[in-house]
Amino acid sequence: MLTLRQLRYLSALARHGHFGRAAEACAVTQPALSMQIGDLERTLGVKLVERRPGEVVLTEVGREVVRRGEDVLAMSRDLVDFARHRGGVLTGRLTLGVIPSLAPYLLPRILPVLQRQFPELRLELRETQTRQLLDDVKSGALDAAMLALPLGETGIDTLKLFDDTFLLAVPADDPRPAEQRISASQIDQSRLILLEDGHCLRDQALAFCATARGGPAAAGTAFAASSLSTVIQMVA
DNA sequence: CCAACGTACTCGCCTAGGGC
DNA sequence: GCCCTAGGCGAGTACGTTGG
């Protein structure tokens, strides 16, 4: 009998390409996941996964089963949501991911409004980096995530919420007027302080700097911050 | 007729160990 | 190191029996 559990395990295996890591993501041991994948293959009568030394690769049929299986999983989540909330808008549990460079600035402003307008909504928030949020949205661990566009990712619907001005933080004694537009060539990139690897704002800043060099930009200082407020303090 | 109880079975998991 | 198999455990379920 094909089960939703098996489809969830297969989806994790497709994402991680590794039985052990997929099992860890599903909070089970590797043999438990392996047995469910094996059962699924026997039920469907096809080989879904090529077990090669050092890597696990989905077969062509396997990829299609994953694609259709994720549709089934999404529909099952939708069915549960509908039954629990009987079609009401923004009621019940909503898991929302937010990137760290947005969360502390945006959430305090929107959470009170959400609570006022949708008192039946039980919001569960998760703050982490873009890559993890995308994986969680794809796996269904998150209902939605607030990220910086563009994503360059297939299989995820996006909705633009707002434009955010890209600002350069400089020490208070910097002679340039606050309203001045700055081009990449006006920035001393050897003294640039950025967020650490994995933050999309870091990548965006480096991409902006690259427009002055005509090629990839390198992070300036050896220091990399884990939060935007640390960056601002270091600049000050 | 129905609820309560006991037993057997199934399912999903784990750990241990083996093969590649 | 990675995955599979074997054996065992616990929880849940199906089903038969019993008593009110």
Side-chain angles (χ1 to χ4, degrees):
Chain A
M1 231 283 267
L2 185 149
T3 65
L4 292 175
R5 183 191 307 269
Q6 290 169 346
L7 294 179
R8 193 163 59 82
Y9 287 2
L10 181 65
S11 174
L13 184 59
R15 266 181 288 119
H16 294 277
H18 186 280
F19 276 76
R21 285 192 286 276
E24 192 181 344
C26 296
V28 294
T29 57
Q30 179 269 321
L33 185 127
S34 178
M35 284 180 67
Q36 292 298 326
I37 298 295
D39 279 349
L40 181 58
E41 288 182 322
R42 280 186 289 279
T43 300
L44 299 178
V46 290
K47 200 160 185 60
L48 302 172
V49 180
E50 290 283 355
R51 284 99 165 151
R52 300 176 185 167
E55 63 172 348
V56 172
V57 181
L58 291 173
T59 62
E60 197 176 328
V61 179
R63 283 194 296 275
E64 184 60 18
V65 171
V66 168
R67 193 186 67 73
R68 292 176 185 232
E70 285 177 343
D71 287 346
V72 172
L73 290 171
M75 285 173 70
S76 77
R77 285 194 297 272
D78 188 52
L79 181 64
V80 171
D81 281 346
F82 172 78
R84 283 187 182 158
H85 315 310
R86 292 166 295 283
V89 177
L90 284 183
T91 60
R93 176 172 173 264
L94 177 73
T95 51
L96 178 68
V98 191
I99 52 176
S101 50
L102 264 186
Y105 308 98
L106 198 61
L107 294 181
R109 291 162 66 180
I110 63 170
L111 289 185
V113 179
L114 276 175
Q115 279 173 356
R116 228 178 9 256
Q117 293 193 5
F118 305 101
E120 299 294 307
L121 178 65
R122 190 161 53 83
L123 199 56
E124 291 181 13
L125 295 164
R126 177 162 186 212
E127 183 195 75
T128 188
Q129 293 180 1
T130 302
R131 183 67 261 160
Q132 183 63 50
L133 291 178
L134 288 172
D135 286 346
D136 288 349
V137 169
K138 280 187 165 180
S139 71
L142 286 175
D143 294 313
M146 296 179 76
L147 306 155
L149 297 175
L151 293 181
E153 192 84 16
T154 56
I156 290 184
D157 290 333
T158 59
L159 176 68
K160 181 180 166 182
L161 297 175
F162 56 87
D163 286 309
D164 205 9
T165 311
F166 208 43
L167 298 171
L168 178 70
V170 294
D173 59 358
D174 190 279
R176 289 171 287 196
E179 302 77 20
Q180 184 183 339
R181 289 183 70 85
I182 302 289
S183 68
S185 60
Q186 293 172 280
I187 299 171
D188 180 357
Q189 294 183 24
S190 66
R191 302 187 66 218
L192 205 54
I193 296 176
L194 296 167
L195 290 170
E196 61 192 6
D197 251 351
H199 288 275
C200 58
L201 189 57
R202 173 193 176 87
D203 298 335
Q204 290 166 340
L206 288 174
F208 176 74
C209 291
T211 61
R213 301 161 66 105
T221 66
F223 180 77
S226 60
S227 78
L228 212 48
S229 56
T230 306
V231 169
I232 291 167
Q233 291 298 323
M234 289 296 291
V235 168

